[in-house]
Amino acid sequence: IRAYVQLKDMDHALTIFEQMKATRTTPNERTYQILLQGFADKNPKQMLKLFDEMKKSKLIPGINIYTIVIYG
């Protein structure tokens, strides 16, 4: 996921993320952080959607996550 985000290929990053969840691999805070960073500039609505999903999955956002969400 990180490689796709570095290449600014958020479609593929999100595809891999969805495949993770489909195979019951639980995304952790770092996975969400990488995706949130990638979407911060390109698609703030998607970033907020992922942030909400993260909170619903019972992961507790850390300071790095909040920094990304607040400052993009």
Side-chain angles (χ1 to χ4, degrees):
I1 292 174
R2 183 176 49 180
Y4 282 123
V5 170
Q6 288 173 340
L7 294 170
K8 308 280 190 226
D9 188 349
M10 296 309 296
D11 290 334
H12 279 105
L14 201 54
T15 298
I16 299 297
F17 178 70
E18 293 301 329
Q19 288 174 352
M20 275 180 71
K21 294 189 301 183
T23 60
R24 298 179 190 225
T25 303
T26 306
N28 60 19
E29 183 181 354
R30 181 67 179 140
T31 306
Y32 280 101
Q33 181 180 347
I34 291 166
L35 285 168
L36 290 170
Q37 286 174 326
F39 280 115
D41 292 331
K42 294 233 177 222
N43 191 340
K45 286 184 181 181
Q46 181 66 38
M47 179 191 68
L48 292 175
K49 181 180 172 186
L50 283 169
F51 180 64
D52 286 340
E53 180 181 320
M54 178 185 182
K55 293 189 299 182
K56 287 177 185 172
S57 72
K58 302 203 171 50
L59 283 173
I60 300 170
I63 189 74
N64 292 334
I65 300 292
Y66 281 111
T67 299
I68 293 165
V69 172
I70 292 169
Y71 297 109

